[in-house]
Amino acid sequence: MTQEPQAPALQYAGTLSVLIAEPIDVGPTPEGHRRIIPITGGTVSGPRLKGRVLPGGADFQILHTPELSQLDARYALELDDGAIVSVDNAAIRSGSADALGRIARGEAVDPQEIYFRCAPRLRTSAPQWDWVNRTLFVGTGERYPDRVVVHVFAVV
């Protein structure tokens, strides 16, 4: 008799509150409607990660259909001890055409209306933070008019 494999556990690492500016609308391309959302700052707080989101990154989005968006956010964190961590966050956001349309227009949308899941990849050269280079992370996201909130969990 074959036993069903055990799912890995998740350990809460922290919450990123990523401040954003007005979108740059590239428009429809052969791959889908593209938008670039500048990242202007923010914070990270939690039991394993504390610091700030540095300005200068962006979220590169492809709106595949009115109900499905693919997100690729790239930015940096400066942790409380001065270590710099690069974040590459691939995500899927889906929901009704109405809800995603409201998000695209910068309107508030209840997070319960949206499926927003991500796989942030963290990298650093700081020896005290090397564990992030060797850890897989997943997360849930929430989009607000002025920020994106990402709850990050280490897969253990």
Side-chain angles (χ1 to χ4, degrees), residues 65-78:
T65 70
E67 296 86 19
L68 175 64
S69 299
Q70 177 183 342
L71 315 177
D72 180 17
R74 295 171 184 255
Y75 51 97
L77 307 175
E78 180 180 30

Side-chain angles (χ1 to χ4, degrees), residues 95-128:
S96 70
D98 175 65
L100 287 183
R102 285 183 280 139
I103 285 176
R105 291 188 300 275
E107 299 172 16
V109 175
D110 183 341
Q112 298 299 317
E113 293 184 59
I114 304 295
Y115 177 87
F116 188 166
R117 300 293 183 268
C118 59
R121 178 74 173 103
L122 280 58
R123 297 177 184 93
T124 187
S125 63
Q128 68 274 27

Side-chain angles (χ1 to χ4, degrees), residues 13-117:
T15 295
L16 301 164
S17 181
V18 182
L19 300 175
I20 56 174
E22 289 295 314
I24 300 165
D25 192 347
V26 176
T29 72
E31 294 83 22
H33 191 119
R34 291 187 174 264
R35 295 174 6 134
I36 302 168
I37 315 297
I39 293 172
T40 61
T43 60
V44 57
S45 60
R48 300 192 73 188
L49 299 168
K50 287 184 177 60
R52 67 187 185 112
V53 176
L54 296 174
D59 183 6
F60 301 89
Q61 301 183 347
I62 302 173
L63 287 63
H64 290 290
T65 70
E67 296 86 19
L68 175 64
S69 299
Q70 177 183 342
L71 315 177
D72 180 17
R74 295 171 184 255
Y75 51 97
L77 307 175
E78 180 180 30
L79 301 180
D80 282 352
D81 64 359
I84 302 297
V85 176
S86 169
V87 178
D88 294 346
N89 192 11
I92 297 263
R93 189 169 60 205
S94 65
S96 70
D98 175 65
L100 287 183
R102 285 183 280 139
I103 285 176
R105 291 188 300 275
E107 299 172 16
V109 175
D110 183 341
Q112 298 299 317
E113 293 184 59
I114 304 295
Y115 177 87
F116 188 166
R117 300 293 183 268

Side-chain angles (χ1 to χ4, degrees), residues 137-153:
F137 296 92
V138 295
T140 61
E142 302 165 9
R143 174 67 155 82
Y144 299 96
D146 64 338
R147 70 192 182 286
V148 175
V149 174
V150 179
H151 306 287
V152 178
F153 300 85

